[in-house]
Amino acid sequence: MLKLYSYWRSSASYRVRIALDLKGLDYEIVPIHLLRDGGEQHSDAYRALNPQQRVPFLIDGDVRLGQSLAILDYLDARYPQPRLMPADARARVEVLAFAQAIIADVQPLQNTATLDYLRDVLKIDEAQRGEWLRHFIDRGLSALETETAARPGTPFAFGEAPTLADCALVPQMFAAQRFGCDMQRYPRLVRIAGHCNTLPAFQRAHPARQPDAER
Ligand SMILES: N[C@@H](CCC(=O)N[C@@H](CS)C(=O)NCC(=O)O)C(=O)O
């Protein structure tokens, strides 16, 4: 069975859980607590497995992979049904660009390690860290709101079926809400995420449904 090292509230892990659930794959969650004891991602045992010291990390037989986008790409190639990336070159690059605006541009700035550095090394207080988060999340989501509002009729970010773009969007919307962003600024994205969340695969992947979820 596939094994996913994951943290319930990690948006990068959440992306991969959605993809695994959409593809109907059986997988075991191995929880890595990002905060406890200075962060289990830094433990000797986990570092030996993943020197990048982040989640998610996937084991599928002899395949061992970190980086959510690489994992999503691997899953789509290895377990192609249903496809998360369109076959058409132009459609594919549009989906990828949407996902990357979240995965590469927004999420690293809201990551625990970034926030800890702001707090512990640069001595930035909690209110200012909140400003930082909301600024960068809003910059990313506002752009994606404009882009998706230009194609209003589709239930998902691209078309009639979920793609990698939705796998990236839903966790980012969850994080934006958690960090106190004004969600009314993104009506189209809220509608798309709401539609995704009616699907059982998205529901199963939700942080609150994870074995390591904390109340
Ligand atoms: N680019 C990576 C980012 C992974 C990442 O930042 N994971 C976070 C949780 S969402 C993490 O492990 N943070 C703990 C740390 O950086 O120490 C990916 O997409 O997988």
Side-chain angles (χ1 to χ4, degrees):
M1 195 195 300
L2 285 81
K3 210 183 250 193
L4 181 70
Y5 292 76
S6 163
Y7 178 59
W8 65 292
R9 229 164 41 183
S10 145
S11 57
S13 305
Y14 190 179
R15 284 170 208 146
V16 173
R17 295 195 301 260
I18 294 169
L20 289 165
D21 283 314
L22 282 170
K23 288 176 179 293
L25 295 168
D26 247 358
Y27 63 99
E28 175 195 349
I29 292 271
V30 183
I32 297 295
H33 201 296
L34 297 183
L35 310 174
R36 191 187 298 142
D37 301 330
E40 291 175 358
Q41 72 275 31
H42 305 303
S43 69
D44 291 346
Y46 189 69
R47 222 174 38 213
L49 189 64
N50 179 11
Q52 294 185 17
Q53 301 171 56
R54 295 188 201 275
V55 288
F57 192 80
L58 180 81
I59 299 188
D60 183 14
D62 58 0
V63 174
R64 292 166 174 237
L65 262 184
Q67 290 293 341
S68 62
L69 186 59
I71 297 172
L72 294 168
D73 188 53
Y74 165 77
L75 290 174
D76 223 29
R78 173 76 180 79
Y79 306 99
Q81 294 313 322
R83 283 213 178 273
L84 297 176
M85 286 294 276
D88 173 72
R90 180 173 167 176
R92 184 183 165 85
V93 82
E94 284 175 357
V95 166
L96 196 54
F98 182 105
Q100 279 287 66
I102 292 168
I103 296 174
D105 292 354
V106 176
Q107 188 264 332
L109 299 172
Q110 76 194 19
N111 182 26
T112 314
T114 308
L115 298 179
D116 287 355
Y117 191 86
L118 291 176
R119 184 192 58 210
D120 300 338
V121 181
L122 301 181
K123 309 295 179 200
I124 308 271
D125 68 27
E126 193 178 338
Q128 286 177 307
R129 278 184 285 130
E131 287 298 312
W132 159 289
L133 280 170
R134 286 185 287 278
H135 169 77
F136 286 109
I137 294 173
D138 180 62
R139 181 171 167 180
L141 291 184
S142 295
L144 295 177
E145 173 68 22
T146 305
E147 289 177 24
T148 48
R151 36 173 202 282
T154 64
F156 295 97
F158 292 85
E160 303 298 316
T163 64
L164 191 129
D166 303 288
C167 297
L169 177 65
V170 167
Q172 186 55 53
M173 295 297 274
F174 174 83
Q177 198 152 27
R178 176 159 87 89
F179 292 128
C181 295
D182 176 5
M183 303 307 282
Q184 291 184 358
R185 291 173 52 77
Y186 325 114
R188 175 82 174 112
L189 298 180
V190 166
R191 241 188 339 271
I192 292 168
H195 181 68
C196 290
N197 284 326
T198 63
L199 302 187
F202 283 83
Q203 291 166 3
R204 275 194 299 273
H206 191 279
R209 299 269 301 266
Q210 302 314 300
D212 54 337
E214 291 164 19
R215 303 288 152 227

